[in-house]
Structures are given as structure tokens and as C-alpha cells.
Amino acid sequence: MNRTFQVDLRGVVDLLSHHLYASPRVYLRELMQNAVDAVTARRAEVPNARAAISVVTGPAAITVTDTGIGLTEAQVHELLATIGRSSKRDELGFARHEFLGQFGIGLLSAFVVADEVRVTTKADGAPAVLWTGRADGTYDIKPAQRDEVGTTVELTARPGSEQWFEPPTVTELARLYGSMLPVPVTVDGVAVSGDGTPWREDDREPGLRRADLVGYAQETLGFTPFDVIDLAVPEAGLTGVAYVLPFPANPAEHAGHRVYLKGMLLTESAQGLLPDWAFFARCVVDAGELRPTASREALYSDTLLDETRQALGDQLRGWLVGLARADQSRLHKFLGVHHLGVKALALHDDDMLRLVEQWWPMETNVGRMTLADFRAQHGEIRYCATADDFRQLAGVAAAQDIALVNGGYTYDAEIIERLPALEPGLTVSRLDPTDLATRFDALPPATELALRPFLTAAQRAMDRLGCEVVLRSYEPASLPVLFLVDRSAAFQAELRATKQRVDELWAGVLSAFDKPADDRPQLVLNHRNPLVRRVCGLTDPDLVGLSVEALYGQALLLGYHPIRPADAALLNRSFLGLLEQAVPTEGTP
Ligand SMILES: Nc1ncnc2c1ncn2[C@@H]1O[C@H](COP(=O)(O)OP(=O)(O)OP(=O)(O)O)[C@@H](O)[C@H]1O
């Protein structure tokens, strides 16, 4: 024998109120939505039937009356009293796109704030009926008095829910959800809808339309936009605007967009409407074809949403490229605020890459300039991949006539590396600190030979730090010493440090990456510097050791290198050692 499921309505209401809906306030949205759908259905049958929804508040009570299609007694049994049954799906069970509802559960949200729902309804040519549904899962139907086709839903607040029935709250909620509805809605006789969307195309002067749009952003979103971009994606039935934020937005934070579905507010914080890179824009859109989740508080993620996101991304990109072409001073202002977003975009978009190349000034050791200007002046693009490398090398490189871009800011190095993909003839090279040493002049052989003992003593002092001492002659002469670490040496140093910290087994695994120490960091003494020349003249090996250690410490500090415990100990030792040498011993006058 087949049996029928029993549903405990209290359990279902509890589920809705605690797990599906974010707030009890959605009850009003669901009632308005049913009223709009009923009007839509009625107008499909009688095109010029009156369309009106009136919400009337009473003491801890509310009625929502529509001039919609109404229900016959049989439909009341089938639709109102059956959870999950909806008249808004086609024979195959798909949501019919002219309606807002589809799931057949919306009316239940009334039980989140009321113990009883009374629906007086009349369909064309049928007698009026009063359906009373209760939160305990029982209902009854009686004949009712009503002349006009349509429906009235009455709720009385459950003790504790009165706040959701206060007239100002009801007005505010009706306006929030319904201000853009195509059907006139009133609350206690005052219209809360009727103007349509602020971006509608009508006979407003273009200046007035824009002022309305800016006013909407100020009132609703709380900022004066940098610009307003019209949006349209016909496949999704979407129209709207993107407001360009006047302040930098955190790329990791997606504030979300205000999305209406067929004029009814879905959410003020929709995610996934724009591509991630477009974090400089906040949208307000109305879409007819995008689908809501069952809570009706978010967009359902499907291929249409994916395609819409892509189309909206294209429209924002088009705006940006247009700005570059038509209004460069505004483009500069925009980049000043949103360069991070644009740079993120440039990593996978050629138009944006060109935009950054042409318009975004980067830090170089020959002044701030765009990559386009840098190329025009220096041919190839040489850059440092980290800000520390740049700080360390900018001055020295300039003294060797090497122009250098600081690629250390977020995305800059990747952007520079992507440029040859755009222009195959372009050479881009990353300056490795040790490459710089190959540009320095070697000392004359005789001088080199004479300084061999000094070098040996200096090297002995530096051996325990795994560092090679090199004597070269370079500009600027005021710089005594440079500590140069190449990429693989930096990696090896990190590897060594890790191996000391981890257990034996893991250290063994890491040993597979060990490389012979032929690319040790270099301490490059500048023979053009007067102090270094005097140090080179020292003969006492101890004093040579102390001086070289002091120069090493100085180079670490100047080059913004990390100071390891061994380095700190050495700095200390060399300072005290030199002090000892400099200060006369006790007893000496
Ligand atoms: N004001 C109304 N006028 C006419 N019919 C209504 C009205 N309110 C509800 N109904 C009928 O009751 C059915 C169930 O309503 P309910 O709000 O529970 O679900 P829904 O609107 O179909 O879908 P959703 O859960 O997505 O809102 C509707 O499909 C509709 O046929």
C-alpha cells in the first residue's frame, strides 16, 4: 500500500527561519512577490486588468491585497495547502520565466512571524473563499465575501514578532524590496514603487539621468561614484549600471552587488556577478533570466551566470579602454585609485597590459616613468624583481649607466615579464645582483697580486659565513662595499637554514636540492673607495678580519639584507674588536 509523507509544519518553519532565510523580514518580500506574480498571471489573461498591490498595516498586523488572478477553492487546496506545489512551473517542472516565484515554499515564510495566515481569494467566475492556515499544520476553508478578482493575505504578529509589523519598518522593507517593481505598490496609501529603474531610458535629459544615477549611488550605496557605466546583457534580461568606486577597494574583499530580479530586490551583496579583477566597480542590476537560490538571497551559479559575468567584464574593460583613448587625465586619476585592479587584469588581458605599459608610471632608478617611455629611452627593460633588490642596486646600477625598473610592487615584475608576449622584439631581463659584479672593473694585475695576502686574510674571516670576498673597482666611489646574493644562492641559504631546523629524515630529503657552493654570495669591496684602500693596506691579519667583518655588516645593513643571529654576533664582535684597537690601553696617557 502506498502511503503519503506527513510533514511537520513546525519543523519546516523552523528550518526556513533558522537555516534558509537570513531574517524574518523576508516574509514581506514573499507576500509582495506572490502578489506581483498573481497580477502578472491575471494580465496574461486580461491584458488591461487593473494592477495594484496595497499593503495596509494594523496593530501588530498586516494585509497585502492584490488585483491578481486569485484562486478557486480547488486551487487553494492544491497550491496553498501543499508545500512545494507552485503554479509557476511549466509541465516539465521548470520555473516559468515571467514569474518571480518557483519553489512553492514562499508563503511558509509568513509562519516565521505569524501563527496564522488568512487568505481571502477570488478567481474569475468562481466564488470567493477564505483559507486559514495555521503553524501547527492545520487549515480550513470557508466561503468568503469579495467582489473583485484578487487576493488578500492577512497576518497577525506572533508575540515577539511585532517589530516586523511596525508601519515604518513595513514601509522601509516594501521600498527596499519593491521600489523598482513594475506594479504600483502602496503602503498605507503611500506609493513605494512606480519610478522604474533609475537607469531606464526615457525622456529625461542625459544630464538629468546621470544626476539621478549619481543620486541613487549616494543615497543607496553611500558614495559619489568616480563614474557610471551602463550595463546590458540581453541573454540574461539584464540592465543596470556599474558604479566605479571613488576609493581603492581591497581586491580580496568582494563587497557584492545589488541585484534585482524582475524588479524585486534579491540581495544587496551578490557575489560572482563580476569577474574577480573588477573589484573597482559596484553594480546595481535588474535581471529577468538569472536564477535565485531557494533562499532568494543569492544568485544561483549556472552557465548563464558565468556568461553574464564574462559579458559584464567585457563591458567594464571597454569602458577602461575608452577612457584611455578619450580622457587621459581621468584615466590617470582612475589609475591613481585603482591601479592594483588594473594591474591584476593586465596579467591576463592584452588591452590592460597595453594600458599599464602606456599609462602607469613605475619607479625606476632614472625617475618615475611609464614602461613605454622607459623603452623609448633605454631600448630593453631591465628590472629588479623585489623592492629590496631595487633599493640595494638602484644607485650602483645608475652609476654603471644601467637603467633599472623596480618590479617589486604588486604584479609589476609579472607585468614586465608578460610584455614580450605582446611585442616579440622586446628584450626584458631581470637583473640579478651578482650579474652586476661582472660589470665592475677588475683591478690591474699588479695591484691584484700585491693585495693577495690581504685577500687571503679577508677570505679566511668570511669563510665561516659562506661568503666570497671580491675586490673590484666601481662607481660610486663613495660606496665602500656591496653584498650580492644571486637567486640560487639565496635559495641555498634558505635551504641550509631549513635543514638545521627540521628532523633528520626531512633534512635528508632536502639534501637532494643541495648544489655545490660555486654561487656563494659575494662581498664586493670597492677599491675606488678611500677607506677600502686603507683597509687593503692593513697587514695585521686580525685587524684585516675585524675590518672586513665590519664592512660585511655595513653591506648587510645598506642592502636591506636580513640579519641572521650569526651576522648579529659578528657585527657585535667586529665593533668591539675595532673599538679595542682604537681606544688606547689602560695606563697609556
Ligand atoms: N496572492 C496570491 N494570488 C494568487 N495565488 C497565490 C498567491 N499567493 C500564493 N499563491 C499561489 O500559491 C502558490 C504557492 O505560493 P508560494 O509563495 O508558497 O510559492 P511560489 O510563489 O510558487 O514559489 P516560491 O517559493 O519561489 O515563492 C503559488 O504558486 C500560487 O499559485
Side-chain angles (χ1 to χ4, degrees):
M1 182 185 119
N2 276 343
R3 289 177 182 273
T4 311
F5 280 111
Q6 302 294 307
V7 176
D8 180 346
L9 195 59
R10 273 169 298 204
V12 176
V13 170
D14 182 60
L15 182 76
L16 294 182
S17 50
H18 292 114
H19 302 287
L20 190 66
Y21 298 126
S23 155
R25 67 181 195 170
V26 297
Y27 86 91
L28 188 61
R29 181 192 65 193
E30 295 296 329
L31 293 184
M32 286 167 64
Q33 179 177 296
N34 281 344
V36 173
D37 283 344
V39 167
T40 307
R42 171 91 172 130
R43 291 201 130 190
E45 286 181 357
V46 184
N48 45 15
R50 194 166 79 87
I53 297 169
S54 64
V55 180
V56 176
T57 58
I62 193 175
T63 62
V64 179
T65 302
D66 65 64
T67 56
I69 192 159
L71 296 168
T72 63
E73 183 176 340
Q75 287 169 328
V76 166
H77 283 291
E78 184 205 334
L79 295 165
L80 293 189
T82 315
I83 295 167
R85 184 64 60 84
S86 171
S87 59
K88 304 165 191 174
R89 293 198 222 111
D90 61 20
E91 310 78 65
L92 296 173
F94 290 114
R96 287 172 53 189
H97 90 288
E98 65 269 37
F99 295 124
L100 292 159
Q102 56 173 300
F103 299 110
I105 56 167
L107 194 61
L108 288 180
S109 65
F111 291 117
V112 173
V113 290
D115 284 325
E116 198 174 84
V117 178
R118 282 184 304 284
V119 179
T120 310
T121 184
K122 177 178 162 48
D124 201 7
V129 289
L130 165 65
W131 174 85
T132 308
R134 287 171 286 268
D136 64 5
T138 60
Y139 74 92
D140 58 54
I141 297 185
K142 290 185 196 143
Q145 218 22 63
R146 183 187 177 102
D147 298 328
E148 203 186 353
V149 171
T151 303
T152 298
V153 182
E154 295 173 64
L155 305 184
T156 304
R158 165 182 305 138
S161 292
E162 293 86 354
Q163 50 167 319
W164 302 109
F165 292 73
E166 301 274 348
T169 308
V170 171
T171 306
E172 195 190 311
L173 289 177
R175 192 164 276 140
L176 173 73
Y177 289 120
S179 66
M180 294 195 198
L181 283 171
V183 180
V185 181
T186 56
V187 176
D188 294 332
V190 179
V192 294
S193 75
D195 290 343
T197 62
W199 55 87
R200 70 197 177 274
E201 296 293 348
D202 57 11
D203 49 10
R204 280 174 298 175
E205 299 275 313
L208 204 62
R209 180 176 181 271
R210 192 176 162 95
D212 281 352
L213 286 168
V214 170
Y216 179 87
Q218 289 168 332
E219 230 169 78
T220 320
L221 307 176
F223 61 81
T224 304
F226 177 85
D227 207 348
V228 186
I229 306 162
D230 273 296
L231 303 172
V233 184
E235 310 83 76
L238 181 147
T239 59
V241 285
Y243 289 111
V244 179
L245 298 176
F247 43 76
N250 179 350
E253 262 174 34
H254 300 290
H257 309 281
R258 204 174 168 91
V259 174
Y260 292 78
L261 294 189
K262 301 188 187 87
M264 174 75 81
L265 179 73
L266 177 79
T267 169
E268 295 169 277
S269 55
Q271 304 293 320
L273 187 68
L274 290 185
D276 282 349
W277 54 258
F279 55 78
F280 54 80
R282 185 88 35 93
C283 296
V284 182
V285 299
D286 181 38
E289 305 296 328
L290 292 179
R291 288 169 58 200
T293 58
S295 70
R296 212 169 280 287
E297 275 155 23
L299 287 170
Y300 184 74
S301 175
D302 57 8
T303 40
L304 183 59
L305 182 59
D306 292 345
E307 285 159 16
T308 304
R309 185 184 311 118
Q310 176 134 17
L312 292 176
D314 287 347
Q315 289 169 29
L316 289 188
R317 191 180 20 231
W319 169 81
L320 256 179
V321 174
L323 203 59
R325 237 178 259 133
D327 193 345
Q328 280 146 27
S329 78
R330 264 179 82 64
L331 176 73
H332 275 295
K333 269 198 201 136
F334 170 80
L335 286 178
V337 180
H338 293 295
H339 54 95
L340 270 185
V342 173
K343 284 192 208 170
L345 182 51
L347 297 186
H348 44 82
D349 183 290
D350 290 351
D351 285 339
M352 290 298 109
L353 185 60
R354 276 199 191 92
L355 192 102
V356 172
E357 188 205 9
Q358 296 288 329
W359 301 110
W360 178 244
M362 290 198 180
E363 183 177 8
T364 82
N365 65 348
V366 283
R368 276 191 90 79
M369 65 176 77
T370 64
L371 289 172
D373 288 343
F374 188 90
R375 282 176 56 193
Q377 289 172 26
H378 303 283
E380 65 179 305
I381 297 183
R382 203 177 270 112
Y383 71 99
C384 285
T386 68
D388 278 350
D389 276 359
F390 182 80
R391 271 187 294 187
Q392 180 195 357
L393 301 178
V396 193
Q400 323 306 311
D401 277 334
I402 300 175
L404 201 56
V405 181
N406 181 2
Y409 293 103
T410 313
Y411 304 128
D412 284 4
E414 290 104 309
I415 285 174
I416 294 169
E417 276 157 21
R418 226 176 81 74
L419 277 177
L422 213 61
E423 284 170 58
L426 172 68
T427 318
V428 155
S429 60
R430 172 172 166 174
L431 184 78
D432 209 305
T434 45
D435 297 342
L436 200 60
T438 61
R439 301 205 152 225
F440 297 158
D441 296 333
L443 304 191
T447 318
E448 182 113 37
L449 200 64
L451 291 176
R452 184 67 49 88
F454 163 78
L455 255 184
T456 313
Q459 185 60 60
R460 201 170 304 126
M462 284 294 105
D463 266 346
R464 70 190 132 195
L465 295 162
C467 166
E468 184 185 346
V469 184
V470 182
L471 252 173
R472 292 281 183 277
S473 178
Y474 51 91
E475 289 300 331
S478 56
L479 186 73
V481 64
L482 262 177
F483 182 66
L484 301 178
V485 193
D486 84 353
R487 266 170 272 162
S488 65
F491 172 72
Q492 290 294 327
E494 218 169 282
L495 198 67
R496 273 196 300 279
T498 312
K499 273 168 61 182
Q500 279 166 9
R501 279 200 312 271
V502 298
D503 65 28
E504 221 174 295
L505 189 67
W506 185 229
V509 174
L510 291 180
S511 300
F513 300 100
D514 278 348
K515 276 200 17 201
D518 55 357
D519 44 15
R520 294 193 296 174
Q522 295 178 328
L523 187 71
V524 190
L525 304 180
N526 185 5
H527 197 248
R528 220 165 272 181
N529 176 272
L531 177 66
V532 170
R533 276 176 191 262
R534 280 168 57 199
V535 170
C536 287
L538 295 173
T539 47
D540 174 358
D542 287 344
L543 205 50
V544 169
L546 283 177
S547 311
V548 172
E549 282 174 355
L551 285 170
Y552 167 84
Q554 164 84 353
L556 287 189
L557 295 175
L558 278 181
Y560 305 95
H561 294 283
I563 308 282
R564 300 166 301 171
D567 299 324
L570 170 140
L571 268 172
N572 215 12
R573 194 174 55 236
S574 63
F575 173 75
L576 291 177
L578 287 176
L579 205 61
E580 188 119 326
Q581 298 278 348
V583 179
T585 43
E586 251 178 307
T588 323

